[in-house]
Amino acid sequence: MRSPRLRLTAGLLLAPLLSGCFSSSGDDSSSDSSGSSEGGRLRVALAFQPTENYSPYGEDAFSLSRLGVAEGLTRLDANGTAVPALAESWRSEQGGKSWLFTLRDAKFQDGSDVTAEAVASALAHAAEAEPAPAAISGVKLTAEAVGEDQVKVSTADADPVLPLRLTNPSLAVFSEKAYGKDGKVNPVGTATGPFELTKTTGDTAATLDRFDDYWGGRAQASGIDARFVSDGTARANALRTGDVDIAEAVPVAQVASLDKDTVHEINTARNTSLYLNTQAGVFKDAGLRAAAREAIDPSVVARGVYEGYAEPAQGLYGPALTWASGKRIEPTGRAKAADPKAKSITIATYNDRPELAEAAQVLQQQLQKAGFKVKLEVRTYARLESDLLAGKFDAAVVSRNMMLDTGDPVTVLASDYTCDGSYNLSFLCDKDVDKLVAAAQAESDPPKRQDAAMKAEAAILGRDAEIPLVHLKVVTGIGTSVKGALLDPYEREFVGSGTRR
């Protein structure tokens, strides 16, 4: 591992090479560089490239949300509560099996009205998507228009957290024009947010212009020039040299190179964990998974890699979720550790978050010391995701926000750890875990739902399907001229109608 001083020096040497790489491409970028009340264009560097041509049904949906392009019926506030977005209000019916949402007066970016029929159609498209969006994995969701301004959303079973599910960016609403016969969705000029996606340049850049008819009022910035920059050092250098106004996910090794007034950190529900493939390969053996767990010291990762911007993990739910520590119970059903006997394993990770590759190096050393032979596979997330979901590795070091999908602690359990989960990186399929997750999903009382989630957590950790390493803080770089940038613990919002420079 390189020392922090060496990493910083390398970053500074790269700075001249990056000059000019982030110049604004919008039509009005030169008309207001000072940032008046009309607002200059914002230049942002995001960490993750679009992997699915901006499809709203996968990870790209979060880019559309962070850039203020798309929105759904509800959104999450800072407390993790569902609050109005395209829906002004809602109420439960039929014991929670259906919910009636009343829409506000709003327009799509193509000029058409947001109607009950359009919203119902958009939700129906999402429910039919393959694979299903993580927020509705295992949920049979239907939607129908009720008059001009109400939509009834129903589920096969009572769902007490449906308004939270609908906050997920994968359930954003687009105009009928967006939906092609081939099942693909084109978000260019068809969403409802304060910024309209007007141009994309492959997976490297996007141009957005202010949507003047946004129901929440005109955005203060005239537009956004977004670049997708996997290299964390490049993002930090672009901020430091003034080539961008906001940089997502600044690597901790680069923090010292930035003006302290541009560094903003926030506790999140994000973890870095080692996911073990329980379905195939070496870690199909529970004893070898236990051996891996016993070999790993998360405190070394927290101290040596994250340099104070993380703490050793206590479980799936970190300190940003204050209720978790008082409810945690010991993992159940753990196997006895077996002798690795020099078995070879491949650990995959991605370098969009630079700390992950360094964390993987630490784990490589610890596991080799315990008797494993360890190979690392490091790519960008865009190049890794398909193989990751196909189970082509023995293990993976992944950063995951446990509240990203819905703001509900149970939903992520269903998507990540059940037999039918759509983002099950451990390929865990255990009937007892599924039963505990189902019991948690059925609880409508929030404290009891949390208790049930912790029982499921104990079972998941007891299978050693995942070895939590650290709970993270996220560092965002924000230029001193920028006002109103969003620091979101759920990592769904990045810029909004009030963001300007």
Side-chain angles (χ1 to χ4, degrees), residues 400-414:
R400 182 83 162 117
N401 190 316
M402 296 299 291
M403 304 292 277
L404 187 67
D405 291 333
T406 63
D408 167 47
V410 177
T411 306
V412 72
L413 300 179

PDB file of all heavy atoms in Angstrom, residues 400-414:
ATOM      1  N   ARG A 400     -22.010  -0.308  -0.528  1.00  0.00           N
ATOM      2  CA  ARG A 400     -23.468  -0.394  -0.682  1.00  0.00           C
ATOM      3  C   ARG A 400     -24.151   0.462   0.374  1.00  0.00           C
ATOM      4  O   ARG A 400     -23.853   0.350   1.569  1.00  0.00           O
ATOM      5  CB  ARG A 400     -23.896  -1.850  -0.507  1.00  0.00           C
ATOM      6  CG  ARG A 400     -25.403  -2.107  -0.681  1.00  0.00           C
ATOM      7  CD  ARG A 400     -25.758  -2.241  -2.125  1.00  0.00           C
ATOM      8  NE  ARG A 400     -27.046  -2.887  -2.318  1.00  0.00           N
ATOM      9  CZ  ARG A 400     -28.103  -2.317  -2.879  1.00  0.00           C
ATOM     10  NH1 ARG A 400     -28.017  -1.072  -3.309  1.00  0.00           N
ATOM     11  NH2 ARG A 400     -29.230  -2.976  -3.035  1.00  0.00           N
ATOM     12  N   ASN A 401     -25.058   1.325  -0.065  1.00  0.00           N
ATOM     13  CA  ASN A 401     -25.861   2.104   0.868  1.00  0.00           C
ATOM     14  C   ASN A 401     -27.085   1.278   1.233  1.00  0.00           C
ATOM     15  O   ASN A 401     -27.919   0.987   0.381  1.00  0.00           O
ATOM     16  CB  ASN A 401     -26.281   3.437   0.242  1.00  0.00           C
ATOM     17  CG  ASN A 401     -26.896   4.378   1.256  1.00  0.00           C
ATOM     18  OD1 ASN A 401     -27.713   3.990   2.077  1.00  0.00           O
ATOM     19  ND2 ASN A 401     -26.496   5.645   1.201  1.00  0.00           N
ATOM     20  N   MET A 402     -27.188   0.897   2.499  1.00  0.00           N
ATOM     21  CA  MET A 402     -28.237  -0.025   2.930  1.00  0.00           C
ATOM     22  C   MET A 402     -29.628   0.591   2.881  1.00  0.00           C
ATOM     23  O   MET A 402     -30.629  -0.108   2.992  1.00  0.00           O
ATOM     24  CB  MET A 402     -27.947  -0.515   4.350  1.00  0.00           C
ATOM     25  CG  MET A 402     -26.682  -1.329   4.477  1.00  0.00           C
ATOM     26  SD  MET A 402     -26.727  -2.841   3.472  1.00  0.00           S
ATOM     27  CE  MET A 402     -27.962  -3.776   4.369  1.00  0.00           C
ATOM     28  N   MET A 403     -29.721   1.901   2.727  1.00  0.00           N
ATOM     29  CA  MET A 403     -31.024   2.563   2.673  1.00  0.00           C
ATOM     30  C   MET A 403     -31.278   3.195   1.311  1.00  0.00           C
ATOM     31  O   MET A 403     -32.218   3.952   1.140  1.00  0.00           O
ATOM     32  CB  MET A 403     -31.104   3.634   3.769  1.00  0.00           C
ATOM     33  CG  MET A 403     -30.833   3.116   5.173  1.00  0.00           C
ATOM     34  SD  MET A 403     -32.120   2.016   5.789  1.00  0.00           S
ATOM     35  CE  MET A 403     -33.304   3.223   6.385  1.00  0.00           C
ATOM     36  N   LEU A 404     -30.432   2.871   0.338  1.00  0.00           N
ATOM     37  CA  LEU A 404     -30.512   3.538  -0.952  1.00  0.00           C
ATOM     38  C   LEU A 404     -31.801   3.222  -1.693  1.00  0.00           C
ATOM     39  O   LEU A 404     -32.410   4.085  -2.314  1.00  0.00           O
ATOM     40  CB  LEU A 404     -29.311   3.132  -1.812  1.00  0.00           C
ATOM     41  CG  LEU A 404     -29.140   3.855  -3.143  1.00  0.00           C
ATOM     42  CD1 LEU A 404     -28.809   5.315  -2.921  1.00  0.00           C
ATOM     43  CD2 LEU A 404     -28.040   3.194  -3.966  1.00  0.00           C
ATOM     44  N   ASP A 405     -32.241   1.975  -1.629  1.00  0.00           N
ATOM     45  CA  ASP A 405     -33.351   1.561  -2.473  1.00  0.00           C
ATOM     46  C   ASP A 405     -34.679   2.175  -2.058  1.00  0.00           C
ATOM     47  O   ASP A 405     -35.458   2.611  -2.897  1.00  0.00           O
ATOM     48  CB  ASP A 405     -33.461   0.036  -2.499  1.00  0.00           C
ATOM     49  CG  ASP A 405     -32.296  -0.598  -3.248  1.00  0.00           C
ATOM     50  OD1 ASP A 405     -31.737   0.065  -4.137  1.00  0.00           O
ATOM     51  OD2 ASP A 405     -31.940  -1.738  -2.928  1.00  0.00           O
ATOM     52  N   THR A 406     -34.960   2.197  -0.744  1.00  0.00           N
ATOM     53  CA  THR A 406     -36.264   2.726  -0.317  1.00  0.00           C
ATOM     54  C   THR A 406     -36.214   3.602   0.929  1.00  0.00           C
ATOM     55  O   THR A 406     -37.214   4.253   1.248  1.00  0.00           O
ATOM     56  CB  THR A 406     -37.242   1.575   0.008  1.00  0.00           C
ATOM     57  OG1 THR A 406     -36.738   0.834   1.104  1.00  0.00           O
ATOM     58  CG2 THR A 406     -37.466   0.681  -1.191  1.00  0.00           C
ATOM     59  N   GLY A 407     -35.110   3.598   1.663  1.00  0.00           N
ATOM     60  CA  GLY A 407     -35.126   4.273   2.957  1.00  0.00           C
ATOM     61  C   GLY A 407     -35.717   3.382   4.036  1.00  0.00           C
ATOM     62  O   GLY A 407     -35.827   3.786   5.194  1.00  0.00           O
ATOM     63  N   ASP A 408     -36.073   2.169   3.661  1.00  0.00           N
ATOM     64  CA  ASP A 408     -36.634   1.180   4.582  1.00  0.00           C
ATOM     65  C   ASP A 408     -35.578   0.110   4.838  1.00  0.00           C
ATOM     66  O   ASP A 408     -35.003  -0.429   3.882  1.00  0.00           O
ATOM     67  CB  ASP A 408     -37.888   0.561   3.959  1.00  0.00           C
ATOM     68  CG  ASP A 408     -38.349  -0.681   4.702  1.00  0.00           C
ATOM     69  OD1 ASP A 408     -38.410  -0.632   5.940  1.00  0.00           O
ATOM     70  OD2 ASP A 408     -38.644  -1.690   4.032  1.00  0.00           O
ATOM     71  N   PRO A 409     -35.278  -0.228   6.094  1.00  0.00           N
ATOM     72  CA  PRO A 409     -34.202  -1.182   6.365  1.00  0.00           C
ATOM     73  C   PRO A 409     -34.486  -2.598   5.903  1.00  0.00           C
ATOM     74  O   PRO A 409     -33.577  -3.426   5.829  1.00  0.00           O
ATOM     75  CB  PRO A 409     -34.060  -1.131   7.892  1.00  0.00           C
ATOM     76  CG  PRO A 409     -35.390  -0.680   8.387  1.00  0.00           C
ATOM     77  CD  PRO A 409     -35.893   0.279   7.343  1.00  0.00           C
ATOM     78  N   VAL A 410     -35.738  -2.888   5.576  1.00  0.00           N
ATOM     79  CA  VAL A 410     -36.099  -4.258   5.196  1.00  0.00           C
ATOM     80  C   VAL A 410     -35.978  -4.485   3.694  1.00  0.00           C
ATOM     81  O   VAL A 410     -35.592  -5.569   3.254  1.00  0.00           O
ATOM     82  CB  VAL A 410     -37.529  -4.590   5.678  1.00  0.00           C
ATOM     83  CG1 VAL A 410     -37.936  -5.984   5.227  1.00  0.00           C
ATOM     84  CG2 VAL A 410     -37.607  -4.481   7.199  1.00  0.00           C
ATOM     85  N   THR A 411     -36.288  -3.479   2.910  1.00  0.00           N
ATOM     86  CA  THR A 411     -36.306  -3.659   1.458  1.00  0.00           C
ATOM     87  C   THR A 411     -34.972  -4.141   0.926  1.00  0.00           C
ATOM     88  O   THR A 411     -34.908  -5.012   0.052  1.00  0.00           O
ATOM     89  CB  THR A 411     -36.693  -2.343   0.769  1.00  0.00           C
ATOM     90  OG1 THR A 411     -37.915  -1.872   1.317  1.00  0.00           O
ATOM     91  CG2 THR A 411     -36.863  -2.542  -0.721  1.00  0.00           C
ATOM     92  N   VAL A 412     -33.884  -3.598   1.454  1.00  0.00           N
ATOM     93  CA  VAL A 412     -32.560  -4.001   0.975  1.00  0.00           C
ATOM     94  C   VAL A 412     -32.277  -5.458   1.329  1.00  0.00           C
ATOM     95  O   VAL A 412     -31.548  -6.151   0.608  1.00  0.00           O
ATOM     96  CB  VAL A 412     -31.464  -3.066   1.539  1.00  0.00           C
ATOM     97  CG1 VAL A 412     -31.241  -3.299   3.023  1.00  0.00           C
ATOM     98  CG2 VAL A 412     -30.157  -3.230   0.773  1.00  0.00           C
ATOM     99  N   LEU A 413     -32.862  -5.955   2.402  1.00  0.00           N
ATOM    100  CA  LEU A 413     -32.687  -7.366   2.741  1.00  0.00           C
ATOM    101  C   LEU A 413     -33.301  -8.259   1.663  1.00  0.00           C
ATOM    102  O   LEU A 413     -32.732  -9.283   1.283  1.00  0.00           O
ATOM    103  CB  LEU A 413     -33.324  -7.669   4.098  1.00  0.00           C
ATOM    104  CG  LEU A 413     -32.783  -6.901   5.312  1.00  0.00           C
ATOM    105  CD1 LEU A 413     -33.533  -7.308   6.574  1.00  0.00           C
ATOM    106  CD2 LEU A 413     -31.293  -7.136   5.486  1.00  0.00           C
ATOM    107  N   ALA A 414     -34.475  -7.852   1.165  1.00  0.00           N
ATOM    108  CA  ALA A 414     -35.142  -8.643   0.139  1.00  0.00           C
ATOM    109  C   ALA A 414     -34.376  -8.633  -1.176  1.00  0.00           C
ATOM    110  O   ALA A 414     -34.265  -9.652  -1.859  1.00  0.00           O
ATOM    111  CB  ALA A 414     -36.560  -8.125  -0.073  1.00  0.00           C
TER     112      ALA A 414
END
